[in-house]
């Protein structure tokens, strides 16, 4: 379906999962076809700001055990059917789609020392939850060209805030992190979210609400 960017953005907002950016796939992007047709456009959906969490929280009022992945899958699959697009997710597979690479094509995000992508405005408080692949070549807004905030962050407080030094450049000690979370001393992380992530000064006004940080931490502990 040929749809303009403003209309697509408004439709995704109504669904509760905002549009994060898009690009026209090249052969080396690893984007699958849109049904039987070559991919003309890939757009990413996710969270930056509170709207997705609010929509998910509303859905959980009637289903308290509803998982975020299940909610995302239901909402985005319905959007894909309506818009004649193909839905892809970062939490299913194989195949495992290169969402981090796609995000860097669609959005001005950069690798951070914590391994997650940093956005110059949203900091570490954003995420990519799904993609829609269209056969059509949609008209896209220009991608912002913003440098990585990490390049000018001399002190790198994110690397010094973890009580068990789980992060070092290029590595993350999952076992040390989980061990700390399971101990009484890990309560500040469990209830308020990762201290390393919270130490980053970029995008502080976009920090997830405490309930959302606790939710993600619980999901991480269950998956680890
Ligand atoms: S604290 Fe500095 S180095 Fe760490 S993620 Fe934030 S901007 Fe990047
Ligand atoms: S959740 Fe806590 S223990 Fe785990 S990496 Fe973050 S700061 Fe360290």
């Amino acid at each position: 379906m040929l749809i303009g960017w403003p209309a697509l953005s408004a439709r995704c907002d109504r669904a509760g999962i905002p549009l994060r950016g898009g690009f026209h796939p090249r052969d080396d992007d690893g984007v699958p076809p849109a049904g039987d047709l070559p991919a003309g456009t890939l757009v990413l959906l996710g969270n930056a700001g509170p709207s997705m969490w609010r929509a998910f929280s509303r859905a959980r009022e009637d289903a308290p055990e509803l998982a975020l992945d299940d909610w995302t899958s239901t909402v985005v699959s319905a959007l894909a059917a309506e818009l004649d697009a193909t839905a892809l997710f970062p939490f299913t597979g194989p195949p495992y789609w290169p969402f981090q690479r796609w995000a860097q094509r669609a959005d001005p995000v950069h690798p951070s020392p914590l391994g997650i992508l940093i956005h110059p405005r949203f900091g570490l408080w954003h995420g990519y939850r799904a993609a829609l692949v269209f056969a059509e070549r949609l008209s896209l807004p220009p991608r912002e060209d913003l440098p990585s905030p990490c390049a000018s962050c001399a002190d790198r407080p994110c690397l010094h805030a973890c009580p068990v030094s789980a992060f070092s450049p290029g590595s993350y000690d999952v076992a040390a992190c989980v061990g700390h979370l399971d101990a009484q001393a890990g309560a500040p992380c469990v209830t308020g979210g990762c201290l390393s992530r919270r130490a980053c000064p970029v995008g502080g006004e976009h920090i997830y609400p405490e309930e959302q940080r606790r939710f993600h931490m619980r999901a991480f502990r269950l998956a680890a």
Side-chain angles (χ1 to χ4, degrees):
M1 174 191 283
L2 202 52
I3 183 170
W5 189 261
L8 180 58
S9 180
R11 182 66 193 91
C12 294
D13 282 347
R14 282 201 304 281
I17 186 156
L19 200 49
R20 292 293 316 274
F23 61 91
H24 298 127
R26 303 181 300 230
D27 288 347
D28 62 355
D29 283 322
V31 176
D36 297 333
L37 298 171
T41 308
L42 181 143
V43 302
L44 290 172
L45 312 180
N47 61 299
S51 59
M52 191 203 78
W53 178 253
R54 284 187 192 139
F56 174 57
S57 298
R58 279 196 299 276
R60 275 165 60 99
E61 286 171 7
D62 297 327
E65 297 305 318
L66 180 62
L68 181 56
D69 290 352
D70 292 340
W71 175 81
T72 304
S73 180
T74 301
V75 169
V76 177
S77 296
L79 270 179
E82 176 186 324
L83 300 171
D84 197 17
T86 298
L88 306 173
F89 302 98
F91 47 79
T92 60
Y96 299 104
W97 304 112
F99 267 76
Q100 294 234 334
R101 187 148 54 89
W102 291 347
Q104 290 173 80
R105 289 268 283 124
D107 231 0
V109 290
H110 308 269
S112 76
L114 302 189
I116 49 182
L117 295 173
I118 187 163
H119 188 283
R121 279 196 304 282
F122 302 116
L124 302 171
W125 306 106
H126 71 106
Y128 302 93
R129 301 286 312 157
L132 291 173
V133 184
F134 294 83
E136 297 81 7
R137 196 175 163 86
L138 304 184
S139 179
L140 303 175
R143 180 187 177 283
E144 290 180 289
D145 188 16
L146 301 171
S148 171
C150 303
S152 55
C153 179
D155 293 340
R156 307 210 151 193
C158 60
L159 288 178
H160 311 298
C162 174
V164 290
S165 303
F167 291 108
S168 52
S171 80
Y172 168 44
D173 187 340
V174 181
C177 171
V178 171
H180 183 70
L181 296 179
D182 287 342
Q184 202 171 8
C189 295
V190 171
T191 57
C194 175
L195 299 180
S196 291
R197 200 166 173 177
R198 286 160 57 193
C200 176
V202 181
E205 67 273 31
H206 299 289
I207 188 170
Y208 297 161
E210 188 172 311
E211 186 191 1
Q212 183 177 0
R213 282 179 271 143
R214 208 166 36 238
F215 173 89
H216 287 306
M217 196 56 73
R218 183 165 167 263
F220 167 71
R221 288 177 81 198
L222 289 173

